[in-house]
Amino acid sequence: MSCESEAGVVVCGVLALLLHDPEIDAAPEICEGLSLLQHRGQDACGIVTCGPKGRFYQCKANGMVRDVFDAATVSRLVGSMGVGHVRYPTAGSSAHAEAQPFYVNSPYGIVLAHNGNLINTSSLLHFMDATAHRHINTSSDSELLLNIFADNLQKTGKFRINEDDIFTAIGGLMNQCNGAFACTAMLAGFGIIAFRDPNGIRPIGMASRRTPSGALDYMFASESVVADAGGFTGWQDVRPGEAIIITRSSVSRRVVCKPQTFAPDIFEYVYFARPDSVLDGISVYRSRMAMGDLLAEEVRRVLGEKGLSVDVVIPVPDTSRVAALNLAQRLGLPYREGFVKNRYVGRTFIMPGQQARKKNVRRKLNAMALEFADKNVLLVDDSIVRGTTSKEIVQMAKDVGAKSVIVASCAPPIRHSNVYGIDMPSRVELVAHGRSDTDIAEALGADLVIFQTLPDLLSAVRQFNTEITTFDCSVFTGEYVTGGVDESYLAHLETLRGDNIRQKTVVGDLGALEGKGGGGERPNGVNGINGHAATYQREAGEVSSGAPTNGTDDTVGLYNSWGTKQDAAYMT
């Protein structure tokens, strides 16, 4: 999984930092970096640092970064390198023991943080018990992944290991583990490590920063925005199947497994990643603008066929704002902020049932009647998952006087389970499962629902890095790039999820109600872009520490004013 086991897959954020100066503690900067990844997980967080003589210092607990790490706590995390993690709230366990990073003392002392989900945990657990004789203490497959790594290192039998030994161990791990994993790790007194599954489903990259002495600090992170804020440059994505080992004296890179289909998760661009991040050479912000452009054409087509008109475009806060603005500009319609979000509602309401969920939506959002009354409204959302929140939002719009409410989704209908690290409901809970578009609209109480087509979504993202020919679109298609996912496996997942939901008492925030990443973007974050349209043939070596890093095309998806030659040509 990631952060929880198959019982509750999630999206998380990982981070590792190595400072060249051994006298400077890494924890304050890791803490800042985790706050920038908070949108990827608000359930728990943790930091482990490595200090003098290879000693580990740890703090991890349930809660937000700002709550877990105060000045006194951070000051006790000694050492110039460390690993950090934020976990998303799931339907599984919320025990402190599930918080990451995980640690094993043998061999050598290893710390690991993991984002993703393994799909062959049953066979791996049997291997751990019967062959490796290693004890797994939690339900997290992240701990399982760590112990597979540790077992492979143990096989060297060496007093001291080197980079070749580590590469061999990670290569063995990739042959044993099936699923999605983007990991940061740390070996006591040695260095930091990052590796990514052979399909590159979950994101991770690296960057460097020149110190006043001319040496380099290094960072691994789930998203490039962390590098921006820390003054790191030369962002490079970890390649599929690649492991990178960084010590104070060297950077070593190696692809350690047979090439597989590179298929990053397209849902990162739809929802999870911050708009100011660049993943695999693709600006999340630009891709969402392009989604709005292409969704506008689908809206134009459907409305034309049905003889309907729209008076105003209103986004569902927050993730859909970028796409909704471009859609409105494409169609020449007014864009309005019709929902006001209350950012000060806590996340700890006890809400065991559907009625409580509905109340929570209205705690989070308020509809302004002056933007809805007597208007035909087009609501734009990033995606529609369970439909619970969407249904309530549609009703809110009608309660304040909307004549009609049409819902447009930047993503196609989600009809299948996600097994690679996204907290999706079981198939029967998905509002699009087994329903036509007309049926979905009826279920939401909307007059019409319009979905982005899958070819258009792929085009919106792929245009910014044409070297990526495939994306993981399993939630839309039911096709799982890793293989190993059949009906019995999906049924097993849904049974586990149902058992855990019955045990769970704390429900997350508005985003979590839809089974999505929770929290959306953080609009007050750093606005810089630190991405690189890297080719995957780049030789291993030192990370560049200078030069502009965003390789995306600044002219694509920008329609901020009408009347330019480009827009005039488009309108004709």
Side-chain angles (χ1 to χ4, degrees):
M1 112 193 154
S2 60
C3 300
E4 299 296 300
S5 66
E6 295 173 335
V9 290
V10 304
V11 163
C12 301
V14 298
L15 175 63
L17 179 66
L18 187 151
L19 302 178
H20 183 78
D21 187 345
E23 301 301 317
I24 301 176
D25 289 338
E29 195 161 359
I30 295 175
C31 187
E32 289 295 323
L34 291 180
S35 70
L36 292 166
L37 294 175
Q38 189 76 86
H39 60 286
R40 299 186 69 86
Q42 300 102 50
D43 185 46
C45 56
I47 296 174
V48 179
T49 59
C50 184
K53 299 182 180 181
R55 182 177 176 181
F56 288 144
Y57 298 81
Q58 170 183 287
C59 176
K60 59 179 185 176
N62 288 351
M64 306 279 275
V65 173
R66 65 179 180 235
D67 300 322
V68 172
F69 296 103
D70 58 20
T73 301
V74 172
S75 70
R76 291 192 290 268
L77 296 172
V78 178
S80 57
M81 66 177 177
V83 173
H85 186 270
V86 290
R87 182 182 71 178
Y88 176 79
T90 74
S93 168
S94 59
H96 288 279
E98 303 283 345
Q100 296 190 40
F102 283 116
Y103 157 74
V104 289
N105 68 335
S106 177
Y108 314 116
I110 311 169
V111 171
L112 180 137
H114 167 214
N115 175 28
N117 187 63
L118 301 183
I119 61 174
N120 63 331
T121 55
S122 296
S123 62
L124 291 175
L125 284 169
H126 178 76
F127 170 79
M128 283 285 100
D129 186 31
T131 304
H133 310 308
R134 300 183 73 96
H135 173 63
I136 306 302
N137 196 53
T138 71
S139 61
S140 171
D141 65 353
S142 303
E143 187 192 11
L144 179 57
L145 191 68
L146 169 60
N147 277 273
I148 293 288
F149 182 30
D151 182 64
N152 289 342
L153 282 177
Q154 189 85 56
K155 291 174 183 176
T156 66
K158 288 185 175 182
F159 176 64
R160 291 286 182 263
I161 56 173
N162 57 31
E163 281 87 345
D164 285 341
D165 298 321
I166 298 171
F167 284 133
T168 300
I170 297 174
L173 176 151
M174 291 192 183
N175 288 328
Q176 292 169 274
C177 299
N178 193 15
F181 45 91
C183 300
T184 55
M186 177 171 60
L187 264 62
F190 189 90
I192 58 174
I193 302 164
F195 56 92
R196 192 178 187 188
D197 70 79
N199 297 106
I201 296 171
R202 302 255 73 85
I204 188 169
M206 65 182 293
S208 62
R209 176 180 64 194
R210 187 74 61 180
T211 68
S213 67
L216 292 173
D217 298 331
Y218 291 95
M219 171 183 285
F220 295 121
S222 292
E223 296 187 29
S224 64
V225 65
V226 184
D228 294 332
F232 288 76
T233 58
W235 179 267
Q236 296 179 29
D237 300 284
V238 178
R239 292 174 284 184
E242 182 181 35
I244 303 175
I245 305 167
I246 300 178
T247 68
R248 285 196 173 81
S249 60
S250 67
V251 176
S252 304
R253 305 182 65 163
R254 186 179 300 176
V255 174
V256 295
C257 66
K258 293 180 180 179
Q260 303 291 330
T261 302
F262 181 29
D265 185 358
I266 202 161
F267 221 70
E268 290 280 353
Y269 303 96
V270 172
Y271 182 86
F272 285 110
R274 277 178 50 138
D276 43 350
S277 286
V278 176
L279 308 179
D280 293 308
I282 299 170
S283 164
V284 176
Y285 183 71
R286 294 284 186 263
S287 68
R288 289 178 184 168
M289 296 177 84
M291 290 175 206
D293 292 337
L294 295 174
L295 181 57
E297 293 312 298
E298 183 66 9
V299 169
R300 192 198 305 272
R301 182 188 68 79
V302 173
L303 293 183
E305 286 180 355
K306 296 184 177 295
L308 300 175
S309 63
V310 169
D311 299 316
V312 64
V313 175
I314 295 176
V316 177
D318 288 311
T319 319
S320 61
R321 282 190 170 114
V322 175
L325 180 57
N326 262 49
L327 180 149
Q329 291 173 333
R330 277 288 201 185
L331 297 178
L333 292 170
Y335 169 93
R336 296 288 185 268
E337 292 283 350
F339 293 104
V340 177
K341 192 170 184 178
N342 180 3
R343 300 187 181 278
Y344 304 100
V345 173
R347 295 180 54 255
T348 55
F349 291 109
I350 305 301
M351 294 178 294
Q354 198 78 344
Q355 275 302 115
R357 285 177 173 172
K358 290 181 179 180
K359 290 180 181 178
N360 195 46
V361 176
R362 294 188 181 242
R363 286 187 180 107
K364 286 286 186 178
L365 291 179
N366 183 52
M368 292 191 291
L370 62 90
E371 296 296 353
F372 290 94
D374 299 321
K375 294 179 182 178
N376 298 311
V377 177
L378 179 67
L379 296 182
V380 178
D381 206 350
D382 56 84
S383 56
I384 302 171
V385 185
R386 182 184 283 111
T388 306
T389 304
S390 299
K391 180 177 182 179
E392 189 65 14
I393 287 173
V394 169
Q395 187 59 51
M396 289 168 65
K398 292 190 173 182
D399 286 347
V400 293
K403 285 198 298 185
S404 67
V405 178
I406 298 172
V407 178
S409 168
C410 294
I414 296 172
R415 294 192 166 101
H416 304 275
S417 299
N418 184 283
V419 301
Y420 298 132
I422 296 177
D423 183 27
M424 287 284 183
S426 62
R427 288 167 293 179
V428 294
E429 295 177 88
L430 298 169
V431 70
H433 181 71
R435 288 187 172 102
S436 66
D437 289 3
T438 301
D439 294 335
I440 296 169
E442 183 177 350
L444 299 181
D447 296 271
L448 181 67
V449 62
I450 303 172
F451 289 99
Q452 182 95 271
T453 68
L454 184 56
D456 281 351
L457 176 60
L458 291 170
S459 176
V461 180
R462 183 186 290 137
Q463 63 178 304
F464 299 106
N465 185 356
T466 56
E467 292 183 5
I468 302 177
T469 58
T470 305
F471 290 88
D472 172 55
C473 301
S474 54
V475 295
F476 309 126
T477 65
E479 298 171 2
Y480 298 94
V481 66
T482 62
V485 179
D486 56 18
E487 181 59 33
S488 63
Y489 177 82
L490 293 173
H492 173 63
L493 279 187
E494 291 172 0
T495 300
L496 289 175
R497 178 181 172 82
D499 291 343
N500 284 315
I501 286 175
R502 284 188 288 274
Q503 298 169 14
K504 190 173 177 67
T505 58
V506 178
V507 177
D509 65 1
L510 179 62
L513 295 182
E514 285 281 40
K516 300 183 289 191
E521 301 98 342
R522 294 292 178 265
N524 295 323
V526 178
N527 291 323
I529 292 179
N530 191 47
H532 188 62
T535 63
Y536 293 103
Q537 288 75 39
R538 180 183 287 109
E539 295 297 322
E542 183 178 289
V543 182
S544 168
S545 60
T549 53
N550 181 12
T552 58
D553 184 352
D554 284 348
T555 66
V556 179
L558 291 176
Y559 302 98
N560 294 326
S561 61
W562 293 93
T564 65
K565 291 182 179 180
Q566 183 178 0
D567 292 331
Y570 177 84
M571 293 301 291
T572 59

